[in-house]
Amino acid sequence: MELIVKSLISALFVGALGLVIYVQHNGLKAAKERVERAEQDTRDRDDTIKTLTDAAAKDKKAAAKLQTAHDRIATTLAERENLIESLQHENPTIRSWADTPLPDAIAGLRQHPAVTGAGDYRQRLSSSHPLPTAGDGAQD
């Protein structure tokens, strides 16, 4: 009987040990899956960061190009305004012409509300009265 009890105890011990090994194995398997998911999430995040960094660098280059173009245009505008002003001071015919008021039809083309964005500009264009064609007889 003692042998049977020892055998049963041994069998219970082996069963319990097998259960512990099984639970540990499943725990390790789940932990490995969590690590793999975390690594994939990290790779995805790194890819996103790289994409955003590249986009920011491109945007910075584009902004620098736009600023250079803006500066160049501003310089050209200032030069042309200075040229026009000097021509007005030097030439009485040009000065007389520049002092002449614009006709009402032309002045009306320059009058419009402030445009603060693309939507306002599109709204202004779609609601504007069309200009008369050259052959419809409208003259000012």
Side-chain angles (χ1 to χ4, degrees), residues 72-83:
R72 191 172 52 248
I73 290 168
T75 301
T76 303
L77 175 63
E79 289 170 355
R80 289 182 182 174
E81 286 174 342
N82 289 338
L83 175 62

Side-chain angles (χ1 to χ4, degrees), residues 18-38:
L19 181 62
V20 168
I21 291 172
Y22 177 76
V23 169
Q24 289 293 322
H25 175 71
N26 285 342
L28 287 173
K29 185 177 176 182
K32 182 179 178 183
E33 289 172 358
R34 285 192 305 271
V35 167
E36 288 172 356
R37 272 191 306 241

Side-chain angles (χ1 to χ4, degrees), residues 15 19 25 28 31 33 55 57 63 70 75 77 84 86 90 95 103 118 121 127 129:
L19 181 62
H25 175 71
L28 287 173
E33 289 172 358
H70 176 270
T75 301
L77 175 63
I84 290 170
S86 68
E90 295 170 3
R95 184 179 18 220
Y121 184 70
S127 67
H129 301 293

Side-chain angles (χ1 to χ4, degrees), residues 25-103:
H25 175 71
N26 285 342
L28 287 173
K29 185 177 176 182
K32 182 179 178 183
E33 289 172 358
R34 285 192 305 271
V35 167
E36 288 172 356
R37 272 191 306 241
E39 287 173 347
Q40 183 61 44
D41 290 346
T42 301
R43 283 191 297 273
D44 292 345
R45 186 176 37 241
D46 289 346
D47 290 345
T48 301
I49 290 170
K50 183 179 181 331
T51 301
L52 291 173
T53 303
D54 292 347
K58 287 178 183 178
D59 288 348
K60 188 175 180 180
K61 286 179 184 179
K65 286 181 181 179
L66 285 174
Q67 185 62 46
T68 301
H70 176 270
D71 294 344
R72 191 172 52 248
I73 290 168
T75 301
T76 303
L77 175 63
E79 289 170 355
R80 289 182 182 174
E81 286 174 342
N82 289 338
L83 175 62
I84 290 170
E85 190 174 321
S86 68
L87 288 172
Q88 286 177 356
H89 289 296
E90 295 170 3
N91 190 322
T93 305
I94 293 176
R95 184 179 18 220
S96 171
W97 176 82
D99 290 339
T100 305
L102 292 173

